[in-house]
Amino acid sequence: MKLHREYLRDGKAVPVSAEHVEGDRWRVRVGPATHEFRAQLLGDGGVRLAPVGEEFDRSFVAYGAPAGKDYMVRVNGRTHTLAAPVSQRGSGAAAADGTIRAPMTGTVLDVLCAPGDTVAADQTLVVLSAMKMEHKLAAGVAGVVQAVAAKKGVIVDQGAALVVVERAPAVG
Amino acid sequence: MVPGQMAKNPPFRRVLIANRGEIALRVVRGLRELGIESVAVHSDVDARCAHVLHADHAVPLGGNTATESYLDVQKVLAAAKASDAEAIHPGYGFLSENAGFARAVRDAGLVFVGPNPEAMDRLGGKKTAREEAIAAGVPVIPGIEHDDGDASLVAAAQQLGLPVMVKASAGGGGRGMRLVEREQDLADAIAAGRREAKAAFGDDRMIVERLVLPARHVEIQLIGDRHGHVVSLHERECSVQRRNQKVLEESPSAVVDEALRQRMGDCAVALAKRVGYDNAGTAEFLLDDQGRFYFLEVNARLQVEHPVTELVTGVDLVHLQIHVAAGGKLADALAGVDLRPRGHAIEARICAESPEAGYMPAAGQLRLVKEPEGPGIRVDSGVYTGWEVPQYYDSLLAKLIVWAPDRATACARLSQALRETAYLGIPTNVDFLRRIVDDTAFRCSRLRTDMLKLRPELAEGPKEPPEDLALAAAVLCQAVAPRGGAAAPAGGGAALGQDPSLVWQELAGFRLFEGKR
């Protein structure tokens, strides 16, 4: 039994694997390093990790769960959201490719552009309402609006493309 | 004490709670202790929200936005009628400080568990509240509350000296407020403020106040009855805030001594008595670095941060609210009760937002919820594993409140409790809260209202990439735990970004621990 994953760390893909040894013992490889743990599932969904050997000097209780395409793990008092290298990240209001995506599920309050409009990089093109707050979304690139998928009053999912702006040719 | 006496002879048979999430659930519990049945109301998307699951009865309001559900006065009143409720508890937010709603409840022959609408009116706007405070002898921030046109406001600002705050006369909370630091910006700020105030409150009058900075936010918890009696339950300090949203609250304040506590309490009681205040409420003040305090406003409701007061005074504010709403006397409820604060309590607001990403709020499914336990730990939560946090309401998931004999121990306890807290599936501010609690400034109680603005690194978090331990924990959680590393979600697997069956395929033929330990 072996479980393979790959996660981004500092922008680099790191292969991570867990190989069952015997009983509750697992051999874990993180990139070039090898660690051995005893892992026990707890009643509250947590996993107690006791290192075998000298790499870590005490045991931890970790909690993990998928979060969209990522995997969230909380251990040693910190939460890590680990992304797989291939995952298409829909987050970030202003992707550098000129496509405005909804940073979270919400309701479109206002659409402030139409196809053909020339817009500035920081110009608010869509106003999204979510969790009682307004979010002003800009394309992050200056150019011409190619397409507008957002409609006022409509609920959009996280990552949904709302407006596409084609970057204006660089001047000079 | 109240619960024992009241449970034998509850003043109401059934009370409707016009709210949702953690506060609605907290009121359900308080009512049950008094032997009173609870009626939850809910929007469509909240049909399986924690408060609905725990209440004795539930009435759907329909709709999803606050306006078409929890803010719809007619729907809420109809739900109260349909469920035979005798009183309505509004919680905080939504309709809680709406004098029109309080009147409509009264006109419908029901009891509003909150202050009378006349008192609410007198404290509702910045201008009227300021005038009542002045009349009650309560210190207010130097400024003017009479708006005789733009020129008079500019002249007032010049006389006060910049920077100043320009606020909507009719405003409350943080709405319609502007900081003006340069004289040439005054005209624009007043014009923009007027437009905003006109749109939000239908009243474009403004007031001008001097900026008090550095300042600490200190507030007094009050409870009044219908017999003219008002009691101060002492201060809470809520200086750790962002854009007027409180992040951490505590009681007592490290900088309030017995004499100051007495003076602030006396001021708050005098103001409440003047307007005939007759339920739970909070008088908010700014405290400057010279120990002078200035009245800000009264929050005419139970506050989010009420548990810290409950932990240091031993009273149950929801029980008291019910007692006084039913016409009971505070003197009876509090007879023989020592109200002096004991020990130290701190509350942390756990929100579905990511301080590391500009405080971006988040909606979505909580795949794993693990709330802390232990001595001196209280969790007022409105969520559970599998609950899908809706996008329509505010981002508060739960409140973690700790009590300890002294502040240093309370800080250590809160840090440890946050360490064993996990809300996974969507971003939360748990790590952020722990960074603040572990910060030297917080531990030393060097607090000011703008500290999060001055210390952006507290929101940004550490820059180091995840250590090997984190990556190892991620694969081991997936290898050992059922269904992809989280307890089975109650809400079904269809919404998962990652197909949990993939993990099952990889685990095929493997049995956990093979019958050994």
Side-chain angles (χ1 to χ4, degrees), chain B residues 233-280:
Chain B
L233 294 172
H234 321 305
E235 83 280 4
R236 291 184 290 257
E237 174 161 6
C238 320
S239 297
V240 183
Q241 44 182 261
R242 174 182 174 265
R243 294 192 184 165
N244 297 305
Q245 285 294 314
K246 295 160 187 167
V247 176
L248 290 161
E249 303 104 336
E250 60 186 300
S251 185
S253 164
V255 293
V256 174
D257 60 18
E258 190 47 50
L260 183 56
R261 176 172 301 131
Q262 186 71 42
R263 275 195 293 137
M264 293 183 80
D266 288 349
C267 280
V269 168
L271 174 58
K273 283 189 170 167
R274 179 182 162 78
V275 300
Y277 201 88
D278 56 359
N279 206 282

Short mmCIF file of all heavy atoms in Angstrom, two decimals, chain B residues 233-280:
data_model
loop_
_atom_site.label_atom_id
_atom_site.label_comp_id
_atom_site.label_asym_id
_atom_site.label_seq_id
_atom_site.Cartn_x
_atom_site.Cartn_y
_atom_site.Cartn_z
N LEU B 233 -22.19 45.98 34.31
CA LEU B 233 -21.47 44.72 34.46
C LEU B 233 -20.02 44.89 33.98
O LEU B 233 -19.40 43.97 33.46
CB LEU B 233 -22.19 43.59 33.71
CG LEU B 233 -23.58 43.26 34.29
CD1 LEU B 233 -24.32 42.29 33.40
CD2 LEU B 233 -23.44 42.69 35.70
N HIS B 234 -19.55 46.11 34.12
CA HIS B 234 -18.12 46.44 33.92
C HIS B 234 -17.71 46.45 32.45
O HIS B 234 -18.54 46.31 31.57
CB HIS B 234 -17.23 45.51 34.74
CG HIS B 234 -17.79 45.21 36.09
ND1 HIS B 234 -18.13 46.21 36.96
CD2 HIS B 234 -18.14 44.04 36.68
CE1 HIS B 234 -18.63 45.66 38.05
NE2 HIS B 234 -18.66 44.37 37.91
N GLU B 235 -16.38 46.60 32.30
CA GLU B 235 -15.87 46.89 30.97
C GLU B 235 -15.44 45.64 30.21
O GLU B 235 -15.14 44.60 30.79
CB GLU B 235 -14.68 47.86 31.06
CG GLU B 235 -13.33 47.22 31.36
CD GLU B 235 -13.13 46.90 32.83
OE1 GLU B 235 -14.07 47.09 33.64
OE2 GLU B 235 -12.03 46.42 33.17
N ARG B 236 -15.39 45.82 28.89
CA ARG B 236 -14.67 44.89 28.01
C ARG B 236 -13.73 45.77 27.20
O ARG B 236 -14.09 46.88 26.81
CB ARG B 236 -15.64 44.19 27.04
CG ARG B 236 -16.58 43.20 27.68
CD ARG B 236 -17.43 42.50 26.64
NE ARG B 236 -18.40 43.40 26.03
CZ ARG B 236 -19.70 43.41 26.33
NH1 ARG B 236 -20.20 42.59 27.23
NH2 ARG B 236 -20.51 44.25 25.73
N GLU B 237 -12.55 45.26 26.92
CA GLU B 237 -11.67 46.00 26.03
C GLU B 237 -11.66 45.28 24.69
O GLU B 237 -11.43 44.07 24.61
CB GLU B 237 -10.24 46.09 26.59
CG GLU B 237 -9.32 46.75 25.55
CD GLU B 237 -8.03 47.32 26.10
OE1 GLU B 237 -7.74 47.14 27.28
OE2 GLU B 237 -7.32 47.97 25.29
N CYS B 238 -11.90 46.05 23.63
CA CYS B 238 -11.97 45.48 22.27
C CYS B 238 -11.10 46.31 21.35
O CYS B 238 -11.54 46.77 20.29
CB CYS B 238 -13.41 45.47 21.76
SG CYS B 238 -14.64 45.03 22.98
N SER B 239 -9.85 46.53 21.76
CA SER B 239 -8.97 47.41 20.97
C SER B 239 -8.43 46.73 19.73
O SER B 239 -8.03 47.41 18.78
CB SER B 239 -7.80 47.90 21.84
OG SER B 239 -8.30 48.67 22.92
N VAL B 240 -8.36 45.40 19.74
CA VAL B 240 -7.85 44.70 18.56
C VAL B 240 -8.99 44.63 17.55
O VAL B 240 -9.92 43.84 17.69
CB VAL B 240 -7.34 43.29 18.89
CG1 VAL B 240 -6.75 42.65 17.65
CG2 VAL B 240 -6.30 43.35 20.00
N GLN B 241 -8.95 45.50 16.57
CA GLN B 241 -10.03 45.55 15.59
C GLN B 241 -9.48 45.95 14.23
O GLN B 241 -8.38 46.45 14.12
CB GLN B 241 -11.13 46.52 16.03
CG GLN B 241 -10.64 47.84 16.58
CD GLN B 241 -11.80 48.72 17.04
OE1 GLN B 241 -12.21 49.61 16.32
NE2 GLN B 241 -12.33 48.47 18.22
N ARG B 242 -10.28 45.67 13.22
CA ARG B 242 -9.90 46.04 11.87
C ARG B 242 -11.12 46.67 11.21
O ARG B 242 -12.18 46.07 11.17
CB ARG B 242 -9.47 44.81 11.07
CG ARG B 242 -9.22 45.13 9.62
CD ARG B 242 -8.83 43.90 8.84
NE ARG B 242 -8.75 44.28 7.43
CZ ARG B 242 -9.75 44.13 6.58
NH1 ARG B 242 -10.89 43.62 6.96
NH2 ARG B 242 -9.60 44.52 5.32
N ARG B 243 -10.96 47.88 10.76
CA ARG B 243 -12.05 48.62 10.13
C ARG B 243 -13.32 48.55 10.99
O ARG B 243 -14.40 48.21 10.51
CB ARG B 243 -12.35 48.07 8.74
CG ARG B 243 -11.19 48.29 7.77
CD ARG B 243 -11.62 48.00 6.36
NE ARG B 243 -10.52 48.12 5.44
CZ ARG B 243 -10.54 47.65 4.20
NH1 ARG B 243 -11.63 47.02 3.76
NH2 ARG B 243 -9.52 47.80 3.40
N ASN B 244 -13.16 48.83 12.27
CA ASN B 244 -14.27 48.85 13.23
C ASN B 244 -14.89 47.48 13.47
O ASN B 244 -15.93 47.38 14.11
CB ASN B 244 -15.35 49.84 12.82
CG ASN B 244 -14.82 51.27 12.82
OD1 ASN B 244 -14.30 51.73 13.84
ND2 ASN B 244 -14.92 51.95 11.71
N GLN B 245 -14.29 46.42 12.95
CA GLN B 245 -14.74 45.07 13.27
C GLN B 245 -13.82 44.51 14.34
O GLN B 245 -12.61 44.46 14.16
CB GLN B 245 -14.68 44.16 12.03
CG GLN B 245 -15.78 44.41 11.02
CD GLN B 245 -17.15 44.05 11.56
OE1 GLN B 245 -17.34 43.00 12.16
NE2 GLN B 245 -18.11 44.95 11.37
N LYS B 246 -14.42 44.09 15.46
CA LYS B 246 -13.60 43.59 16.57
C LYS B 246 -13.05 42.20 16.24
O LYS B 246 -13.72 41.40 15.60
CB LYS B 246 -14.44 43.55 17.84
CG LYS B 246 -14.86 44.94 18.29
CD LYS B 246 -16.05 44.93 19.22
CE LYS B 246 -16.51 46.36 19.49
NZ LYS B 246 -17.82 46.39 20.13
N VAL B 247 -11.82 41.95 16.70
CA VAL B 247 -11.16 40.68 16.43
C VAL B 247 -10.99 39.88 17.73
O VAL B 247 -11.27 38.69 17.78
CB VAL B 247 -9.80 40.93 15.75
CG1 VAL B 247 -9.04 39.62 15.54
CG2 VAL B 247 -9.99 41.65 14.40
N LEU B 248 -10.51 40.56 18.77
CA LEU B 248 -10.34 39.95 20.09
C LEU B 248 -10.96 40.89 21.13
O LEU B 248 -10.82 42.11 21.01
CB LEU B 248 -8.86 39.76 20.42
CG LEU B 248 -8.09 38.70 19.63
CD1 LEU B 248 -6.60 38.97 19.74
CD2 LEU B 248 -8.39 37.31 20.15
N GLU B 249 -11.62 40.31 22.12
CA GLU B 249 -12.23 41.11 23.18
C GLU B 249 -11.90 40.48 24.52
O GLU B 249 -11.77 39.26 24.61
CB GLU B 249 -13.77 41.15 23.01
CG GLU B 249 -14.25 41.70 21.67
CD GLU B 249 -14.74 40.60 20.73
OE1 GLU B 249 -14.32 39.44 20.89
OE2 GLU B 249 -15.56 40.91 19.86
N GLU B 250 -11.76 41.32 25.54
CA GLU B 250 -11.40 40.77 26.84
C GLU B 250 -12.03 41.57 27.97
O GLU B 250 -12.46 42.71 27.78
CB GLU B 250 -9.89 40.71 27.00
CG GLU B 250 -9.19 42.06 26.91
CD GLU B 250 -7.67 41.92 26.94
OE1 GLU B 250 -7.16 41.39 27.94
OE2 GLU B 250 -7.02 42.33 25.97
N SER B 251 -12.07 40.95 29.13
CA SER B 251 -12.51 41.62 30.33
C SER B 251 -11.80 40.99 31.51
O SER B 251 -11.65 39.77 31.55
CB SER B 251 -14.03 41.49 30.50
OG SER B 251 -14.46 42.25 31.61
N PRO B 252 -11.32 41.77 32.47
CA PRO B 252 -11.32 43.24 32.46
C PRO B 252 -10.24 43.79 31.53
O PRO B 252 -9.47 43.03 30.97
CB PRO B 252 -10.99 43.57 33.92
CG PRO B 252 -10.30 42.38 34.47
CD PRO B 252 -10.79 41.20 33.69
N SER B 253 -10.23 45.12 31.37
CA SER B 253 -9.16 45.76 30.60
C SER B 253 -7.95 45.93 31.51
O SER B 253 -8.09 46.27 32.69
CB SER B 253 -9.62 47.13 30.11
OG SER B 253 -8.49 47.89 29.70
N ALA B 254 -6.77 45.68 30.94
CA ALA B 254 -5.54 45.80 31.73
C ALA B 254 -5.27 47.24 32.16
O ALA B 254 -4.48 47.46 33.08
CB ALA B 254 -4.36 45.25 30.92
N VAL B 255 -5.91 48.22 31.51
CA VAL B 255 -5.60 49.62 31.83
C VAL B 255 -6.74 50.31 32.59
O VAL B 255 -6.70 51.52 32.78
CB VAL B 255 -5.25 50.42 30.57
CG1 VAL B 255 -3.93 49.94 29.98
CG2 VAL B 255 -6.36 50.35 29.52
N VAL B 256 -7.76 49.54 32.96
CA VAL B 256 -8.87 50.15 33.72
C VAL B 256 -8.76 49.73 35.18
O VAL B 256 -8.86 48.54 35.51
CB VAL B 256 -10.23 49.71 33.12
CG1 VAL B 256 -11.38 50.23 33.98
CG2 VAL B 256 -10.37 50.23 31.68
N ASP B 257 -8.52 50.71 36.05
CA ASP B 257 -8.46 50.37 37.47
C ASP B 257 -9.85 50.56 38.09
O ASP B 257 -10.80 50.96 37.43
CB ASP B 257 -7.39 51.20 38.20
CG ASP B 257 -7.67 52.70 38.11
OD1 ASP B 257 -8.83 53.09 37.80
OD2 ASP B 257 -6.74 53.49 38.35
N GLU B 258 -9.94 50.26 39.38
CA GLU B 258 -11.26 50.26 40.03
C GLU B 258 -11.92 51.64 39.94
O GLU B 258 -13.13 51.74 39.70
CB GLU B 258 -11.11 49.80 41.48
CG GLU B 258 -12.41 49.51 42.21
CD GLU B 258 -13.41 48.65 41.40
OE1 GLU B 258 -12.99 47.59 40.89
OE2 GLU B 258 -14.58 49.03 41.26
N ALA B 259 -11.12 52.71 40.08
CA ALA B 259 -11.70 54.06 40.06
C ALA B 259 -12.25 54.39 38.67
O ALA B 259 -13.35 54.93 38.53
CB ALA B 259 -10.63 55.08 40.47
N LEU B 260 -11.48 54.04 37.63
CA LEU B 260 -11.91 54.33 36.26
C LEU B 260 -13.13 53.47 35.90
O LEU B 260 -14.09 53.94 35.26
CB LEU B 260 -10.76 54.07 35.28
CG LEU B 260 -11.03 54.38 33.80
CD1 LEU B 260 -11.47 55.83 33.62
CD2 LEU B 260 -9.79 54.09 32.96
N ARG B 261 -13.10 52.21 36.35
CA ARG B 261 -14.23 51.30 36.11
C ARG B 261 -15.51 51.90 36.69
O ARG B 261 -16.56 51.91 36.06
CB ARG B 261 -13.91 49.95 36.76
CG ARG B 261 -15.03 48.91 36.68
CD ARG B 261 -14.54 47.56 37.17
NE ARG B 261 -13.41 47.12 36.38
CZ ARG B 261 -12.26 46.66 36.87
NH1 ARG B 261 -12.09 46.57 38.18
NH2 ARG B 261 -11.28 46.30 36.07
N GLN B 262 -15.38 52.43 37.90
CA GLN B 262 -16.53 53.02 38.59
C GLN B 262 -17.03 54.24 37.81
O GLN B 262 -18.23 54.39 37.57
CB GLN B 262 -16.11 53.42 40.01
CG GLN B 262 -17.23 53.91 40.89
CD GLN B 262 -18.17 52.78 41.29
OE1 GLN B 262 -17.73 51.68 41.62
NE2 GLN B 262 -19.47 53.02 41.21
N ARG B 263 -16.09 55.10 37.37
CA ARG B 263 -16.50 56.33 36.68
C ARG B 263 -17.16 56.01 35.33
O ARG B 263 -18.18 56.58 34.97
CB ARG B 263 -15.29 57.25 36.46
CG ARG B 263 -14.98 58.13 37.66
CD ARG B 263 -14.04 59.26 37.28
NE ARG B 263 -12.72 58.73 36.93
CZ ARG B 263 -12.01 59.15 35.89
NH1 ARG B 263 -12.48 60.09 35.09
NH2 ARG B 263 -10.83 58.62 35.65
N MET B 264 -16.57 55.09 34.57
CA MET B 264 -17.15 54.75 33.26
C MET B 264 -18.51 54.08 33.46
O MET B 264 -19.46 54.36 32.73
CB MET B 264 -16.20 53.82 32.48
CG MET B 264 -14.91 54.51 32.07
SD MET B 264 -13.82 53.45 31.07
CE MET B 264 -14.58 53.59 29.47
N GLY B 265 -18.59 53.19 34.44
CA GLY B 265 -19.85 52.51 34.73
C GLY B 265 -20.93 53.51 35.13
O GLY B 265 -22.08 53.43 34.65
N ASP B 266 -20.56 54.49 35.98
CA ASP B 266 -21.53 55.50 36.41
C ASP B 266 -22.05 56.29 35.21
O ASP B 266 -23.24 56.60 35.11
CB ASP B 266 -20.90 56.46 37.43
CG ASP B 266 -20.70 55.79 38.79
OD1 ASP B 266 -21.23 54.67 38.98
OD2 ASP B 266 -20.00 56.38 39.64
N CYS B 267 -21.14 56.67 34.30
CA CYS B 267 -21.53 57.43 33.10
C CYS B 267 -22.51 56.62 32.26
O CYS B 267 -23.54 57.13 31.81
CB CYS B 267 -20.30 57.77 32.25
SG CYS B 267 -19.39 59.19 32.87
N ALA B 268 -22.17 55.34 32.03
CA ALA B 268 -23.01 54.50 31.18
C ALA B 268 -24.39 54.33 31.81
O ALA B 268 -25.42 54.41 31.13
CB ALA B 268 -22.34 53.15 30.97
N VAL B 269 -24.42 54.13 33.14
CA VAL B 269 -25.70 53.94 33.83
C VAL B 269 -26.53 55.23 33.77
O VAL B 269 -27.74 55.19 33.54
CB VAL B 269 -25.46 53.50 35.30
CG1 VAL B 269 -26.73 53.59 36.13
CG2 VAL B 269 -24.91 52.07 35.32
N ALA B 270 -25.86 56.38 33.93
CA ALA B 270 -26.58 57.66 33.90
C ALA B 270 -27.23 57.87 32.54
O ALA B 270 -28.40 58.30 32.44
CB ALA B 270 -25.61 58.81 34.20
N LEU B 271 -26.50 57.55 31.48
CA LEU B 271 -27.05 57.70 30.12
C LEU B 271 -28.23 56.75 29.92
O LEU B 271 -29.28 57.13 29.38
CB LEU B 271 -25.94 57.43 29.09
CG LEU B 271 -26.36 57.42 27.62
CD1 LEU B 271 -27.00 58.75 27.23
CD2 LEU B 271 -25.15 57.14 26.73
N ALA B 272 -28.06 55.49 30.35
CA ALA B 272 -29.13 54.50 30.17
C ALA B 272 -30.38 54.91 30.93
O ALA B 272 -31.51 54.83 30.42
CB ALA B 272 -28.64 53.13 30.63
N LYS B 273 -30.20 55.39 32.17
CA LYS B 273 -31.36 55.81 32.98
C LYS B 273 -32.06 56.99 32.34
O LYS B 273 -33.29 57.07 32.34
CB LYS B 273 -30.91 56.16 34.40
CG LYS B 273 -30.65 54.94 35.25
CD LYS B 273 -30.43 55.31 36.70
CE LYS B 273 -30.43 54.04 37.56
NZ LYS B 273 -29.93 54.30 38.91
N ARG B 274 -31.26 57.91 31.78
CA ARG B 274 -31.84 59.10 31.17
C ARG B 274 -32.81 58.75 30.04
O ARG B 274 -33.84 59.39 29.87
CB ARG B 274 -30.70 59.99 30.64
CG ARG B 274 -31.20 61.25 29.98
CD ARG B 274 -30.10 62.12 29.42
NE ARG B 274 -30.70 63.04 28.46
CZ ARG B 274 -31.37 64.12 28.81
NH1 ARG B 274 -31.49 64.43 30.08
NH2 ARG B 274 -31.93 64.89 27.89
N VAL B 275 -32.47 57.73 29.26
CA VAL B 275 -33.33 57.40 28.10
C VAL B 275 -34.31 56.27 28.42
O VAL B 275 -35.03 55.82 27.54
CB VAL B 275 -32.49 57.02 26.85
CG1 VAL B 275 -31.58 58.17 26.46
CG2 VAL B 275 -31.68 55.75 27.06
N GLY B 276 -34.34 55.80 29.66
CA GLY B 276 -35.29 54.75 30.02
C GLY B 276 -34.93 53.39 29.45
O GLY B 276 -35.79 52.62 29.01
N TYR B 277 -33.64 53.08 29.46
CA TYR B 277 -33.14 51.84 28.85
C TYR B 277 -33.52 50.65 29.72
O TYR B 277 -33.34 50.66 30.93
CB TYR B 277 -31.62 51.93 28.71
CG TYR B 277 -31.09 50.99 27.67
CD1 TYR B 277 -31.00 51.38 26.34
CD2 TYR B 277 -30.72 49.70 28.01
CE1 TYR B 277 -30.55 50.49 25.38
CE2 TYR B 277 -30.26 48.81 27.06
CZ TYR B 277 -30.18 49.22 25.75
OH TYR B 277 -29.73 48.35 24.80
N ASP B 278 -34.04 49.57 29.10
CA ASP B 278 -34.61 48.49 29.91
C ASP B 278 -34.27 47.08 29.43
O ASP B 278 -35.09 46.17 29.53
CB ASP B 278 -36.12 48.66 30.01
CG ASP B 278 -36.79 48.71 28.64
OD1 ASP B 278 -36.08 48.64 27.62
OD2 ASP B 278 -38.03 48.82 28.59
N ASN B 279 -33.06 46.88 28.90
CA ASN B 279 -32.62 45.52 28.59
C ASN B 279 -31.10 45.53 28.53
O ASN B 279 -30.47 46.44 29.06
CB ASN B 279 -33.27 44.99 27.30
CG ASN B 279 -33.35 43.47 27.27
OD1 ASN B 279 -32.38 42.79 27.02
ND2 ASN B 279 -34.53 42.92 27.58
N ALA B 280 -30.49 44.53 27.86
CA ALA B 280 -29.04 44.50 27.75
C ALA B 280 -28.58 45.51 26.70
O ALA B 280 -29.23 45.69 25.68
CB ALA B 280 -28.56 43.10 27.37
#
